[in-house]
Amino acid sequence: GAGVSQSPRYKVAKRGQDVALRCDPISGHVSLFWYQQALGQGPEFLTYFQNEAQLDKSGLPSDRFFAERPEGSVSTLKIQRTQQEDSAVYLCASRQGLTMNTEAFFGQGTRLTVV
Amino acid sequence: AQKITQTQPGMFVQEKEAVTLDCTYDTSDPSYGLFWYKQPSSGEMIFLIYQGSYDQQNATEGRYSLNFQKARKSANLVISASQLGDSAMYFCAMREGSIIQGAQKLVFGQGTRLTINP
């Protein structure tokens, strides 16, 4: 497809379980972002990649959160030992270039529910 | 302090009327960018409009315009001739700093839920 694709769309995890969320950005897009959106809130920045380099991970809430983009295309956000407060929609976005003046395309997100 | 403040949790507007969604921001950086996104019930964030801090004119994109008042630190979104399909959550966001400085991330407000009534 032409857009940013995220999978799975929905994930239910038991507390303590590890999860992996996948993001397929638009082909050729250099910049990739992960955001976390709690219910009724605006998205909050988690991490940013420029190609395969993770240049900013200041938004990751704890060391249970880990993101990678090993070949500069597909990215995976991993959450270890999930907690209830991790329940949220995780949004991935990609942008063609490095300038923020260009449009960033978002995926539809993965809704994670920790029970 | 909140970086982005959207004071209207919900707005109800009649179809074909114009609507203004409020956004104020807080930054001491002279270089920044302001964005508006639409989020329908399907979940994806759709880019609407961008305004740079050094842009002299207000940004416009079709039915969308951004009322940028720098001294007041406000960046209100104006939608002209609203349509039923405009019903969605709307988020104001800011990038602090310039690209040269490596600024990339967006800070979002809490959003405004806009409902267009037929």
Side-chain angles (χ1 to χ4, degrees):
Chain A
V4 177
S5 178
Q6 293 188 244
S7 60
R9 285 294 315 279
Y10 304 92
K11 176 70 178 177
V12 178
K14 292 184 178 179
R15 193 184 315 175
Q17 187 178 356
D18 296 350
V19 298
L21 312 180
R22 178 186 171 101
C23 173
D24 283 83
I26 294 172
S27 178
H29 278 199
V30 170
S31 301
L32 186 145
F33 302 81
W34 283 98
Y35 288 84
Q36 179 190 59
Q37 187 175 21
L39 187 64
Q41 305 292 316
E44 292 193 0
F45 171 80
L46 292 177
T47 188
Y48 161 66
F49 289 86
Q50 181 181 317
N51 295 309
E52 69 278 4
Q54 188 176 21
L55 298 186
D56 188 348
K57 53 182 180 180
S58 61
L60 296 177
S62 77
D63 59 6
R64 297 186 294 106
F65 286 70
F66 172 77
E68 60 183 4
R69 194 186 184 196
E71 297 179 357
S73 55
V74 171
S75 177
T76 304
L77 176 67
K78 298 179 180 178
I79 308 173
Q80 298 176 325
R81 304 181 304 281
T82 51
Q83 304 294 316
Q84 280 195 316
E85 61 263 28
D86 300 336
S87 296
V89 175
Y90 291 85
L91 294 166
C92 176
S94 71
R95 193 175 64 237
Q96 184 172 19
L98 301 180
T99 173
M100 282 291 285
N101 297 359
T102 57
E103 181 177 352
F105 293 88
F106 280 79
Q108 289 187 298
T110 294
R111 182 178 296 278
L112 173 65
T113 304
V114 181
V115 297
Chain B
Q2 291 288 328
K3 293 282 187 181
I4 296 287
T5 301
Q6 295 180 253
T7 58
Q8 306 152 312
M11 288 274 288
F12 295 85
V13 174
Q14 287 298 117
E15 190 179 7
K16 299 182 184 178
E17 288 184 352
V19 57
T20 298
L21 304 182
D22 295 341
C23 173
T24 57
Y25 59 91
D26 181 25
T27 182
S28 57
D29 200 311
S31 178
Y32 52 90
L34 297 160
F35 300 75
W36 278 92
Y37 282 86
K38 173 184 179 181
Q39 188 176 42
S41 56
S42 54
E44 78 273 27
M45 300 286 283
I46 302 169
F47 168 80
L48 297 177
I49 198 165
Y50 166 81
Q51 180 85 42
S53 60
Y54 295 116
D55 293 344
Q56 295 296 312
Q57 294 188 327
N58 287 346
T60 61
E61 291 284 349
R63 293 187 300 113
Y64 305 107
S65 61
L66 200 152
N67 184 3
F68 181 45
Q69 298 188 38
K70 197 169 182 177
R72 297 179 61 184
K73 294 188 175 179
S74 75
N76 297 341
L77 176 70
V78 180
I79 306 174
S80 63
S82 57
Q83 302 170 356
L84 295 178
D86 294 334
S87 294
M89 283 291 290
Y90 287 80
F91 290 97
C92 180
M94 177 175 65
R95 177 214 78 220
E96 283 186 288
S98 68
I99 304 304
I100 296 173
Q101 296 170 325
Q104 293 289 343
K105 68 182 180 184
L106 294 178
V107 176
F108 286 84
Q110 299 276 60
T112 295
R113 181 170 296 281
L114 176 63
T115 303
I116 308 298
N117 296 316

